[in-house]
Amino acid sequence: MYDQWQQAMKEDTQPRGISHAGRSLLPVIAGIWVVLIGGAFTALLGYHNIPGQRSDHGMVWPINHSIKLDTQRPNLMVFIHPQCPCSVATLNELARIQAVCGVRLNTQVIFYSPTEMQWEDTSKVRQALAIPNVHITNDADGQLAQQFGALTSGHTMLYSGDGRRIFSGGITPTRGHEGDNLGRKSIVQYVLDGETDCDRTNVFGCPILVTPSEVVINSRGSEHGVK
Amino acid sequence: MALSEDRPINDRARELLEEHRDSIYRRTDHMFAWLMLFQWIAGIGIALWVSPYSWAGRTQYIHPHIWSALVVGGLICSLPILLARYYPGKAITRQTIAVGQALASALLIHLMGGRIEAHFHIFGSLAFLAFYRDWKVLVTASIVVAVDHLVRGLLWPESLYGISLFGWHRSLEHVGWIVFEDVFLIYSTWISCREMTVIANRRAEMEKMQAEVEREVTERTREIELQRLVLQESHERLERQTIELRKAIESSEGANRAKSAFLANMSHEIRTPLTAILGFADVLLETGDIYKAPVERIDAIETIRRNGSHLISLINDLLDFSKIEAGKFQVENLPCSLHRLIADIRQLMQVRAEEKKLNINVEYSGPIPEMILTDPTRLRQILMNLLSNAIKFTHEGNVNMNVGLVGKAPNRRIQIDVTDTGIGISEEMRGKLFQPFTQADGSMSRRFGGTGLGLTISKRFAELLGGDLTILETSHTGTTFRLTIDPGPLHNVTFQEPETTYSAPDLEKSKPSDTKNALRELKILLVEDGPDNQRLISFLLKKAGAEVDMAENGELGYQKATAASESGSPFDVILMDMQMPIMDGYTASTKLRADGYNGPIIALTAHAMAEDRNRCIEAGCTDYTTKPVDRAKLIELIRFHAEAASV
């Protein structure tokens, strides 16, 4: 590509007789332009690929009064911030999981529901309601998210019928992006085959709860899950 | 630069191809400038629609996508738009646009959440870039897409492939689809460029042909211009010649008019005294005891009459010939009985023939039309001349006329052969016979008389009557003249057999039995300026029994006629001379008619030309007769009109 640009510069500057200032400025401007765009794209892609915070050290179903563990089926818990635009991709991916797994899963979508905020009827809630065999739960002030350690919208956890945590992470490849990803693949694999190669992926989304410093930001977090 | 004739056609074809390409590049640059601007705005709109805010619990922030759409999108389209605006058609511009368009695709895919449908923007962009018909921009854009995949695949493999490990085969698969499209687009571009080359070649050829045609047209135009100049010069020369010719014609016509006027005046001047000479010669022969006069005196009077008649004949021939030469002689076309005409002429000439003990025989070879359309006066003149000549030059034997209708319609002709048993015409003179003033020899005129104009005039008359006059044969035993004339249309014309031909009335019977007292009790006003003619004509009229009043000019005549009419005893006939001092006969007649005078006015003039008669009639005259006066004819004319007026 650089060669072509060099050739283009040569074609344009030599025979057509552009002014000396033009000849000297054009490559400089083009170079600056490429560098700026490269930097901007890198920043954008970095933003898309920086995972959200998490605090999911517990490996078993936590005790709570809101959601009961289904001992007959795997339990899939998806924590969503109802205003997070990135979570549209998570819900779309959830729909794809549900399309494959259906009633084999006990799927719960837990929407953060702070008091004094009327967030029970957002586009994300309506999108979740449209997915078959999904239970919707309002998480008042994020208590459930706190209990499960889900600090980022889109955080998904899979528990077996006996309460063991099988998987924890996001089901999108990057922030707000759809497409094949390790999270969706791991969940579907477990439901269908009873085992999975990956138990942890990065979560991409808006923070549901801004906490703790104990959350470790690790861009290569998915590697932790690889057995 | 348009193609000149001496410039290689390939150079011009290359130049045209470059022009065409430049036009396409510039047009596509402008199209992409607008497209990228639209994409930028659309990207901002998509970001605002899909991800306006980013949230952290209860707190919202402007989503980084908004800033990305605004800043990165603006950055991507800025340089291409500027280059398209300020450097359209340049390679750097379209290469920058190719890079920008590929990056715009990547940004839009990110802003739309990486949906698979958004990836079609890349394919659409490549298709749009193919508008440049430059395979290099497709390669550039494809390279940008490939680099994006490779870099992202290396740094964040899952974001591309769904797995956390980079795999060359996955990247190659993605790039492969781009290359797949590039193959078709580059092929299509190559085809298009080839067509453009063909078009450029054809256009160059066409320009070459056009240059040749223009050169040809220029040369032809120059030639035409030269021809035009030559023609213009010829035209001007012709105009000058025409003007000179017109002047010559005018001069000639002026001379002719002068000649005609001279002849008319001469005719008038000669006829006027001749009227008195012949009239008084008649008077001398008829008055007193003429039988007591010595023979020498009677011979002298006869000599005066004969020479006077010859002079009249000469003047008439000269007038006719003059008019024919001037091309002003017009023949009439009147119904005419050929039988009667020939019978009249035969009877008239028989008197002269009998003096020489000759006989005139008329034969008809088959039936002839009862009536033909011709000028009877001129036909009569021709036949009289032929018969007169035949009699003149024949000492013994006879004169034969053979009349017949020859030819087939529509070229049928009346043919009259006049054969005599005379002295014949020598071969030498035969060719000169129809030339004016020519006779067989100088002694002829002295021996036989004549002006030498008779045959010339007759031949011209025959031609005017649609035929000819020729010598059929001649020898020392006689001569035959052949006259042919056009009889006019013969539809519905009955034909007469020779035995039913008209028998001419006896001249003696048709002549008035006696002129004495023929004008008894008639009151006649004679308007005449010449004293001799006054005396002569008044003598003739009075001798015929008329009461004659005299006026010396037209004004006096007008006054006398008016006074007589007002007094209740108008003149029975006015004899009006036309050429008079103070007031001529034309004016006087016109005034009388304008005053309502209804009586007969007979013009008496020495002007004997055909148009003179018309002029007299137009002036208001009832009839017309010429000088010298034919006594019998004049008396008959007066009596006829007097009787007609009284009825």
Side-chain angles (χ1 to χ4, degrees):
Chain A
M1 186 178 75
Y2 178 75
D3 288 345
Q4 285 186 22
W5 264 30
Q6 285 296 320
Q7 189 187 350
M9 294 278 192
K10 199 176 171 184
E11 282 177 19
D12 286 340
T13 52
Q14 284 180 353
R16 305 287 171 93
I18 295 175
S19 66
H20 179 73
R23 282 201 298 273
S24 58
L25 275 178
L26 267 179
V28 175
I29 291 169
I32 293 169
W33 181 68
V34 169
V35 169
L36 283 175
I37 290 174
F41 260 95
T42 306
L44 179 64
L45 290 169
Y47 168 73
H48 282 164
N49 286 279
I50 291 173
Q53 292 176 328
R54 59 199 302 163
S55 175
D56 53 344
H57 300 300
M59 297 301 289
V60 296
W61 183 268
I63 298 167
N64 71 89
H65 302 292
S66 301
I67 301 172
K68 190 179 176 181
L69 179 70
D70 187 337
T71 56
Q72 302 301 313
R73 296 181 292 176
N75 295 274
L76 186 67
M77 311 294 284
V78 183
F79 293 88
I80 299 290
H81 188 299
Q83 299 290 0
C84 171
C86 318
S87 297
V88 173
T90 300
L91 290 170
N92 283 335
E93 290 300 323
L94 177 63
R96 293 187 182 98
I97 291 168
Q98 284 300 106
V100 176
C101 302
V103 294
R104 294 180 187 179
L105 268 175
N106 173 30
T107 304
Q108 300 283 342
V109 180
I110 300 101
F111 281 101
Y112 171 58
S113 181
T115 52
E116 299 175 356
M117 305 294 275
Q118 302 298 319
W119 285 354
E120 287 81 11
D121 188 25
T122 64
S123 62
K124 261 63 74 179
V125 174
R126 287 193 294 276
Q127 189 182 355
L129 285 170
I131 302 169
N133 303 312
V134 166
H135 300 285
I136 307 295
T137 303
N138 283 328
D139 180 17
D141 287 332
Q143 289 175 6
L144 281 171
Q146 195 82 343
Q147 287 173 358
F148 280 86
L151 302 180
T152 299
S153 181
H155 198 152
T156 304
M157 297 171 188
L158 181 67
Y159 292 89
S160 62
D162 56 4
R164 278 185 302 115
R165 196 182 70 188
I166 308 300
F167 172 83
S168 174
I171 53 175
T172 60
T174 59
R175 182 187 290 270
H177 276 227
E178 297 175 33
D180 287 343
N181 61 87
L182 278 173
R184 189 223 300 173
K185 186 179 173 185
S186 301
I187 291 165
V188 171
Q189 188 183 13
Y190 179 79
V191 173
L192 297 180
D193 301 337
E195 57 180 18
T196 182
D197 294 334
C198 174
D199 64 350
R200 184 184 175 89
T201 59
N202 285 333
V203 181
F204 301 101
C206 297
I208 298 172
L209 299 167
V210 184
T211 50
S213 48
E214 65 265 24
V215 174
V216 177
I217 300 172
N218 185 352
S219 65
R220 294 284 177 176
S222 59
E223 289 179 5
H224 296 294
V226 176
K227 287 180 179 176
Chain B
M1 185 177 72
L3 187 69
S4 61
E5 283 185 75
D6 51 353
R7 192 177 172 204
I9 201 164
N10 288 339
D11 282 4
R12 179 57 183 160
R14 271 196 294 276
E15 190 178 270
L16 286 169
L17 184 62
E18 286 304 315
E19 282 177 7
H20 193 184
R21 277 183 173 154
D22 188 61
S23 164
I24 290 171
Y25 293 156
R26 285 167 180 271
R27 192 170 63 235
T28 314
D29 284 344
H30 289 131
M31 187 187 77
F32 267 106
W34 287 105
L35 178 67
M36 296 190 83
L37 185 66
F38 170 74
Q39 285 173 163
W40 183 34
I41 294 166
I44 296 168
I46 288 166
L48 288 170
W49 175 260
V50 175
S51 50
Y53 297 109
S54 179
W55 289 81
R58 301 181 181 204
T59 310
Q60 67 177 24
Y61 308 95
I62 297 293
H63 199 288
H65 278 182
I66 304 292
W67 301 117
S68 298
L70 199 63
V71 176
V72 183
L75 198 58
I76 287 170
C77 69
S78 60
L79 188 59
I81 289 175
L82 285 172
L83 288 176
R85 172 71 179 82
Y86 294 106
Y87 295 99
K90 306 281 174 16
I92 181 68
T93 303
R94 56 183 178 275
Q95 293 291 349
T96 306
I97 284 172
V99 173
Q101 187 61 28
L103 293 173
S105 293
L107 179 63
L108 285 169
I109 290 167
H110 285 301
L111 294 178
M112 294 174 76
R115 295 170 69 242
I116 191 69
E117 291 85 351
H119 287 74
F120 286 103
H121 190 276
I122 295 172
F123 296 104
S125 295
L126 289 172
F128 271 113
L129 286 169
F131 283 2
Y132 277 116
R133 302 182 202 184
D134 180 5
W135 61 272
K136 293 191 283 291
V137 297
L138 294 170
V139 172
T140 301
S142 302
I143 288 171
V144 171
V145 173
V147 168
D148 178 46
H149 273 73
L150 290 172
V151 172
R152 283 176 60 197
L154 283 169
L155 292 176
W156 300 286
E158 194 186 345
S159 71
L160 270 177
Y161 311 125
I163 57 173
S164 58
L165 293 174
F166 174 72
W168 283 104
H169 65 286
R170 304 296 297 271
S171 292
L172 288 175
E173 184 189 346
H174 281 229
V175 173
W177 286 109
I178 301 297
V179 173
F180 178 73
E181 187 185 2
D182 281 344
V183 168
F184 290 101
L185 292 177
I186 288 170
Y187 177 72
S188 138
T189 300
W190 178 69
I191 293 285
S192 180
C193 287
R194 204 173 60 173
E195 287 172 355
M196 281 163 60
T197 307
V198 171
I199 289 168
N201 280 330
R202 285 183 184 165
R203 196 173 151 194
E205 286 170 1
M206 204 166 69
E207 281 187 359
K208 190 175 179 64
M209 285 171 62
Q210 193 176 350
E212 286 173 0
V213 168
E214 278 176 3
R215 181 186 54 77
E216 191 74 15
V217 167
T218 307
E219 281 180 11
R220 291 281 174 273
T221 307
R222 196 165 53 241
E223 285 173 10
I224 289 168
E225 181 64 19
L226 279 172
Q227 292 293 330
R228 194 188 66 77
L229 288 172
V230 169
L231 276 175
Q232 188 177 356
E233 194 181 332
S234 299
H235 177 70
E236 285 169 359
R237 192 168 58 243
L238 202 63
E239 274 189 341
R240 283 197 301 273
Q241 287 174 347
T242 306
I243 290 167
E244 287 169 7
L245 197 62
R246 189 179 295 124
K247 282 178 183 171
I249 289 169
E250 282 170 1
S251 169
S252 168
E253 283 178 347
N256 269 334
R257 277 195 298 275
K259 189 177 83 176
S260 298
F262 171 76
L263 283 169
N265 287 333
M266 281 305 295
S267 168
H268 178 264
E269 292 304 320
I270 293 168
R271 278 170 191 274
T272 304
L274 271 176
T275 305
I277 291 167
L278 289 173
F280 281 112
D282 285 341
V283 170
L284 285 175
L285 280 175
E286 291 174 8
T287 53
D289 299 330
I290 192 65
Y291 54 87
K292 291 179 182 175
V295 177
E296 291 80 7
R297 185 182 298 168
I298 294 171
D299 284 345
I301 295 169
E302 286 290 350
T303 304
I304 291 169
R305 283 187 62 190
R306 194 169 56 250
N307 283 284
S309 297
H310 178 65
L311 205 52
I312 289 293
S313 169
L314 177 66
I315 288 166
N316 286 339
D317 284 352
L318 276 172
L319 280 175
D320 286 344
F321 181 71
S322 158
K323 294 209 73 178
I324 289 167
E325 287 293 295
K328 289 184 177 177
F329 202 97
Q330 291 178 340
V331 292
E332 294 178 306
N333 221 14
L334 302 170
C336 165
S337 168
L338 190 60
H339 285 294
R340 179 167 181 171
L341 182 79
I342 288 170
D344 283 348
I345 292 166
R346 179 184 171 278
Q347 195 160 24
L348 197 65
M349 299 306 291
Q350 185 65 39
V351 179
R352 286 180 60 186
E354 282 171 358
E355 288 173 0
K356 297 182 76 173
K357 297 179 180 175
L358 301 174
N359 192 29
I360 297 174
N361 301 315
V362 178
E363 293 176 2
Y364 289 92
S365 54
I368 59 167
E370 187 179 8
M371 298 292 284
I372 59 170
L373 271 179
T374 189
D375 187 331
T377 309
R378 303 307 159 195
L379 180 57
R380 176 187 291 267
Q381 204 169 333
I382 298 167
L383 290 173
M384 292 274 282
N385 189 270
L386 289 176
L387 286 173
S388 174
N389 278 345
I391 292 165
K392 194 190 295 179
F393 295 106
T394 303
H395 303 300
E396 57 183 7
N398 46 48
V399 176
N400 296 319
M401 284 180 75
N402 189 287
V403 184
L405 184 66
V406 297
K408 291 182 179 177
N411 295 317
R412 307 188 88 173
R413 293 286 181 272
I414 296 291
Q415 179 179 291
I416 302 170
D417 290 345
V418 178
T419 307
D420 60 49
T421 53
I423 58 175
I425 303 166
S426 69
E427 281 299 318
E428 184 189 352
M429 290 310 298
R430 189 171 168 171
K432 299 179 183 174
L433 205 58
F434 293 108
Q435 290 175 9
F437 308 108
T438 304
Q439 288 189 327
D441 59 52
S443 63
M444 286 289 179
S445 182
R446 290 189 296 278
R447 284 171 62 199
F448 299 103
T451 61
L453 284 173
L455 284 175
T456 309
I457 293 169
S458 295
K459 185 173 178 70
R460 302 291 176 86
F461 281 168
E463 287 165 358
L464 288 169
L465 295 179
D468 200 4
L469 175 64
T470 54
I471 302 172
L472 194 60
E473 59 182 8
T474 179
S475 67
H476 64 278
T477 56
T479 304
T480 302
F481 282 88
R482 170 162 288 178
L483 169 69
T484 54
I485 60 162
D486 183 2
L490 297 175
H491 308 295
N492 304 321
V493 173
T494 54
F495 285 72
Q496 286 182 322
E497 292 297 327
E499 55 272 19
T500 62
T501 52
Y502 177 80
S503 174
D506 191 345
L507 274 179
E508 294 303 317
K509 289 177 188 172
S510 66
K511 284 174 79 174
S513 56
D514 189 6
T515 57
K516 194 175 181 181
N517 295 328
L519 304 178
R520 193 174 47 209
E521 297 179 359
L522 287 182
K523 190 181 171 186
I524 296 171
L525 173 64
L526 174 63
V527 187
E528 168 66 58
D529 62 323
D532 292 339
N533 282 339
Q534 280 180 3
R535 280 192 291 121
L536 172 66
I537 296 166
S538 64
F539 173 79
L540 294 176
L541 297 177
K542 283 174 183 171
K543 192 178 177 185
E547 181 189 337
V548 180
D549 199 351
M550 303 275 272
E552 291 177 358
N553 57 55
E555 189 171 339
L556 290 174
Y558 168 76
Q559 288 169 0
K560 281 195 174 182
T562 307
S565 295
E566 286 173 354
S567 67
S569 57
F571 293 105
D572 296 302
V573 171
I574 298 174
L575 280 179
M576 182 75 78
D577 185 15
M578 304 311 281
Q579 200 73 35
M580 289 182 291
I582 302 175
M583 181 186 284
D584 63 17
Y586 301 106
T587 312
S589 303
T590 305
K591 282 185 72 174
L592 282 170
R593 293 301 184 204
D595 291 348
Y597 182 80
N598 295 321
I601 303 173
I602 297 172
L604 190 61
T605 175
H607 291 289
M609 296 189 177
E611 66 265 26
D612 292 328
R613 176 188 170 88
N614 295 335
R615 199 174 159 207
C616 293
I617 301 298
E618 282 170 9
C621 295
T622 314
D623 209 335
Y624 160 97
T625 187
T626 57
K627 293 176 181 174
V629 175
D630 183 327
R631 183 179 53 171
K633 187 180 174 186
L634 177 64
I635 289 170
E636 181 60 28
L637 202 62
I638 292 169
R639 198 173 63 170
F640 172 77
H641 286 293
E643 283 175 3
S646 67
V647 171

